[in-house]
Amino acid sequence: MVAVIDSLLKNEKLVKPVNPDASNYYLPVKSLQFSGKLGLEHEIEMEARILKVTGTEDYLNTDDLRDLDGMTVRLYLNPAGCGPNDGIFFSRLAYRALDAHSLIPEKYRIRLEIFSIGEKPVGENIEITQ
């Protein structure tokens, strides 16, 4: 079972998780569709795989984005930390990989597959596009 998330990359400094490994880069996801559905009330670490990165403009879709496909990343969930949205924050290591490919918040969409939340696999199949 996996959760597939497809969302616009954003940048946030104020409501990121308390974990010092959390970067400012995150994906917003409707809380009712993710943390509410899975019963997640507290910040938690997750593991995921990037499925695809696409630019919002044609000129941003360069060949080097394919280097990110299949990359395993650590994420940190801040449930309902961004208003009605959960914030799924990238680790600092994942941020460095995204930054090395010059990804700019609000200009790229990231589709990823979350395969573990905390120490457990995802309990049900979820697909969210935001």
Side-chain angles (χ1 to χ4, degrees):
M1 306 263 185
V2 296
V4 176
I5 306 294
D6 187 336
S7 188
L8 190 66
L9 181 65
K10 302 234 180 199
N11 189 4
E12 175 60 56
K13 295 177 188 173
L14 301 176
V15 296
K16 69 181 193 175
V18 295
N19 190 307
D21 186 40
S23 73
N24 293 344
Y25 275 18
Y26 78 102
L27 301 176
V29 178
K30 296 279 184 217
S31 299
L32 290 174
Q33 295 175 327
F34 192 65
S35 65
K37 189 172 189 176
L38 295 174
L40 303 170
E41 298 176 1
H42 305 287
E43 292 180 7
I44 194 164
E45 185 177 315
M46 302 184 298
E47 293 290 325
R49 181 176 11 269
I50 294 176
L51 299 175
K52 185 128 184 97
V53 178
T54 52
T56 57
E57 305 289 334
D58 285 342
Y59 74 92
L60 296 171
N61 292 305
T62 57
D63 290 338
D64 71 321
L65 291 179
R66 279 185 252 144
D67 294 345
L68 296 169
D69 295 354
M71 184 174 118
T72 301
V73 293
R74 176 172 286 125
L75 305 164
Y76 300 97
L77 173 67
N78 189 3
C82 304
N85 295 319
D86 293 332
I88 298 177
F89 287 79
F90 288 91
S91 69
R92 292 186 183 277
L93 182 62
Y95 162 80
R96 285 195 289 276
L98 299 176
D99 189 52
H101 286 79
S102 302
L103 296 193
I104 302 165
E106 307 286 339
K107 296 287 184 183
Y108 290 89
R109 293 189 68 79
I110 299 179
R111 183 174 179 84
L112 54 81
E113 172 185 78
I114 298 171
F115 50 84
S116 71
I117 298 174
E119 306 260 332
K120 300 177 184 175
V122 175
E124 60 182 283
N125 285 328
I126 297 173
E127 182 152 351
I128 303 169
T129 299
Q130 185 160 324

